[in-house]
Amino acid sequence: MDAPYPLVVEDSPDPADLALLEDRVAAAAIAAAGLGDDEEFAIFARDDDGRVVAGISGIVWGGCCELQAMWVDEPRRGRGLARDLMAAAEVEAARRGCALVQFRAYDLLAPGLYERLGYETVGVLEGCPVGSSARWFRKDL
């Protein structure tokens, strides 16, 4: 059966098109659950010139917080900044009425960090990426 529209693989998709996909999926999930709109948040650490040197982002929806991205500038790693970002995100999630924080992370990045912060592994996808694993975490607040 032929597709009613041509399907095109794009190696460098427009960020606006990617955002559109994410927004539409979120809107469909929100409508299906009937639990109200999602709320984005981010927490940043900035240097003296205002440049982002670390940060974490998440979405709050339906009593849950999904952390989406956390990054710490390489020279600033190993000083507790990731721990502080996670703690701040938990406080913000609780402030917004969440009882649970969840996210996915790769074992090759910050191995063992999330367990030390009290997160429980709830799923593992071995070999993704090759030679490592993707892991889903949760923590009750």
Side-chain angles (χ1 to χ4, degrees):
M1 181 170 146
D2 291 328
Y5 301 98
L7 302 178
V8 179
V9 174
E10 298 182 14
D11 291 331
S12 298
D14 184 321
D17 291 340
L18 296 174
L20 175 108
L21 293 177
E22 291 177 12
D23 290 346
R24 298 277 168 90
V25 169
I30 289 166
L35 295 173
D37 290 336
D38 60 342
E39 301 173 6
E40 292 181 302
F41 72 91
I43 302 165
F44 297 104
R46 298 179 186 270
D47 67 11
D48 293 337
D49 295 323
R51 290 185 297 253
V52 173
V53 297
I56 191 166
S57 64
I59 293 178
V60 170
W61 171 65
C64 298
C65 174
E66 178 182 349
L67 299 179
Q68 296 187 307
M70 180 175 67
W71 170 78
V72 176
D73 192 27
E74 181 100 25
R76 292 168 172 83
R77 293 179 187 167
R79 301 179 189 176
L81 196 46
R83 179 196 63 231
D84 293 347
L85 286 167
M86 292 293 290
E90 291 170 12
V91 168
E92 184 59 22
R95 188 186 74 76
R96 293 177 184 227
C98 294
L100 168 76
V101 174
Q102 58 98 7
F103 61 94
R104 180 189 68 186
Y106 297 102
D107 285 353
L108 53 87
L109 301 174
L113 170 67
Y114 306 113
E115 291 90 346
R116 289 192 305 273
L117 298 177
Y119 283 84
E120 169 190 5
T121 297
V122 293
V124 178
L125 183 57
E126 300 289 343
C128 180
V130 173
S132 189
S133 300
R135 191 173 298 268
W136 282 260
F137 292 97
R138 70 167 283 151
K139 182 177 184 180
D140 294 324
L141 298 179

